[in-house]
mmCIF file of all heavy atoms in Angstrom:
data_model
loop_
_atom_site.group_PDB
_atom_site.id
_atom_site.type_symbol
_atom_site.label_atom_id
_atom_site.label_comp_id
_atom_site.label_asym_id
_atom_site.label_seq_id
_atom_site.Cartn_x
_atom_site.Cartn_y
_atom_site.Cartn_z
ATOM 1 N N PRO A 1393 -61.266 130.879 166.427
ATOM 2 C CA PRO A 1393 -60.477 131.872 167.191
ATOM 3 C C PRO A 1393 -61.321 132.700 168.162
ATOM 4 O O PRO A 1393 -60.801 133.175 169.171
ATOM 5 C CB PRO A 1393 -59.872 132.764 166.098
ATOM 6 C CG PRO A 1393 -59.927 131.944 164.849
ATOM 7 C CD PRO A 1393 -61.151 131.102 164.978
ATOM 8 N N LEU A 1413 -69.407 132.956 174.249
ATOM 9 C CA LEU A 1413 -70.343 133.252 175.337
ATOM 10 C C LEU A 1413 -71.454 132.196 175.321
ATOM 11 O O LEU A 1413 -71.188 131.023 175.509
ATOM 12 C CB LEU A 1413 -70.873 134.680 175.210
ATOM 13 C CG LEU A 1413 -69.799 135.794 175.259
ATOM 14 C CD1 LEU A 1413 -70.446 137.156 175.144
ATOM 15 C CD2 LEU A 1413 -68.963 135.689 176.520
ATOM 16 N N GLY A 1447 -73.379 124.343 158.550
ATOM 17 C CA GLY A 1447 -72.777 123.267 157.768
ATOM 18 C C GLY A 1447 -71.592 123.702 156.946
ATOM 19 O O GLY A 1447 -71.179 122.979 156.031
ATOM 20 N N LEU A 1524 -70.749 115.076 156.842
ATOM 21 C CA LEU A 1524 -72.169 114.823 156.598
ATOM 22 C C LEU A 1524 -72.812 114.085 157.767
ATOM 23 O O LEU A 1524 -73.957 114.358 158.140
ATOM 24 C CB LEU A 1524 -72.349 114.021 155.313
ATOM 25 C CG LEU A 1524 -72.412 114.817 154.009
ATOM 26 C CD1 LEU A 1524 -72.448 113.880 152.814
ATOM 27 C CD2 LEU A 1524 -73.637 115.728 153.994
ATOM 28 N N ASP A 1532 -79.835 121.425 161.467
ATOM 29 C CA ASP A 1532 -81.119 121.434 160.769
ATOM 30 C C ASP A 1532 -80.891 121.479 159.263
ATOM 31 O O ASP A 1532 -79.948 122.108 158.775
ATOM 32 C CB ASP A 1532 -81.949 122.657 161.186
ATOM 33 C CG ASP A 1532 -82.417 122.550 162.631
ATOM 34 O OD1 ASP A 1532 -82.607 121.412 163.102
ATOM 35 O OD2 ASP A 1532 -82.593 123.601 163.280
ATOM 36 N N ASN A 1583 -105.361 100.326 185.237
ATOM 37 C CA ASN A 1583 -106.614 100.614 185.950
ATOM 38 C C ASN A 1583 -106.598 101.992 186.596
ATOM 39 O O ASN A 1583 -107.653 102.582 186.829
ATOM 40 C CB ASN A 1583 -106.869 99.542 187.015
ATOM 41 C CG ASN A 1583 -107.161 98.188 186.384
ATOM 42 O OD1 ASN A 1583 -107.593 98.108 185.235
ATOM 43 N ND2 ASN A 1583 -106.934 97.116 187.142
ATOM 44 N N SER A 1586 -107.555 104.537 183.547
ATOM 45 C CA SER A 1586 -108.879 104.492 182.907
ATOM 46 C C SER A 1586 -109.766 103.507 183.655
ATOM 47 O O SER A 1586 -109.284 102.665 184.424
ATOM 48 C CB SER A 1586 -108.758 104.102 181.436
ATOM 49 O OG SER A 1586 -108.238 102.786 181.308
ATOM 50 N N LEU A 1601 -99.487 115.573 158.773
ATOM 51 C CA LEU A 1601 -100.139 116.717 158.134
ATOM 52 C C LEU A 1601 -99.283 117.336 157.042
ATOM 53 O O LEU A 1601 -99.803 118.075 156.196
ATOM 54 C CB LEU A 1601 -100.451 117.781 159.192
ATOM 55 C CG LEU A 1601 -101.580 117.443 160.171
ATOM 56 C CD1 LEU A 1601 -101.691 118.529 161.224
ATOM 57 C CD2 LEU A 1601 -102.905 117.281 159.434
ATOM 58 N N TYR A 1818 -44.687 94.372 151.824
ATOM 59 C CA TYR A 1818 -44.927 94.249 153.256
ATOM 60 C C TYR A 1818 -46.242 94.878 153.689
ATOM 61 O O TYR A 1818 -46.761 94.560 154.762
ATOM 62 C CB TYR A 1818 -43.745 94.735 154.110
ATOM 63 C CG TYR A 1818 -43.168 96.091 153.844
ATOM 64 C CD1 TYR A 1818 -43.855 97.246 154.136
ATOM 65 C CD2 TYR A 1818 -41.874 96.217 153.368
ATOM 66 C CE1 TYR A 1818 -43.287 98.483 153.942
ATOM 67 C CE2 TYR A 1818 -41.294 97.454 153.168
ATOM 68 C CZ TYR A 1818 -41.997 98.588 153.458
ATOM 69 O OH TYR A 1818 -41.429 99.814 153.261
ATOM 70 N N LEU A 1862 -41.096 95.135 132.591
ATOM 71 C CA LEU A 1862 -42.189 95.908 133.181
ATOM 72 C C LEU A 1862 -41.740 96.923 134.230
ATOM 73 O O LEU A 1862 -42.555 97.745 134.665
ATOM 74 C CB LEU A 1862 -43.219 94.964 133.824
ATOM 75 C CG LEU A 1862 -44.181 94.259 132.868
ATOM 76 C CD1 LEU A 1862 -45.017 93.234 133.628
ATOM 77 C CD2 LEU A 1862 -45.080 95.259 132.163
ATOM 78 N N LEU A 1868 -35.058 102.413 132.874
ATOM 79 C CA LEU A 1868 -34.212 103.600 132.904
ATOM 80 C C LEU A 1868 -32.732 103.212 132.989
ATOM 81 O O LEU A 1868 -31.876 103.825 132.335
ATOM 82 C CB LEU A 1868 -34.603 104.485 134.091
ATOM 83 C CG LEU A 1868 -33.834 105.798 134.265
ATOM 84 C CD1 LEU A 1868 -33.919 106.656 133.016
ATOM 85 C CD2 LEU A 1868 -34.346 106.557 135.485
ATOM 86 N N ILE A 1929 -39.018 108.112 139.326
ATOM 87 C CA ILE A 1929 -40.203 107.832 138.494
ATOM 88 C C ILE A 1929 -41.409 108.639 138.949
ATOM 89 O O ILE A 1929 -42.129 109.226 138.136
ATOM 90 C CB ILE A 1929 -40.528 106.323 138.515
ATOM 91 C CG1 ILE A 1929 -39.314 105.505 138.051
ATOM 92 C CG2 ILE A 1929 -41.741 106.037 137.645
ATOM 93 C CD1 ILE A 1929 -38.848 105.821 136.647
ATOM 94 N N CYS A 1998 -24.675 88.418 128.479
ATOM 95 C CA CYS A 1998 -25.532 88.547 129.673
ATOM 96 C C CYS A 1998 -25.043 89.699 130.540
ATOM 97 O O CYS A 1998 -24.034 89.577 131.246
ATOM 98 C CB CYS A 1998 -25.557 87.241 130.464
ATOM 99 S SG CYS A 1998 -26.700 87.309 131.870
#
Side-chain angles (χ1 to χ4, degrees):
L1413 300 181
L1524 274 174
D1532 291 331
N1583 293 336
S1586 64
L1601 288 175
Y1818 51 70
L1862 282 173
L1868 181 56
I1929 304 300
C1998 185

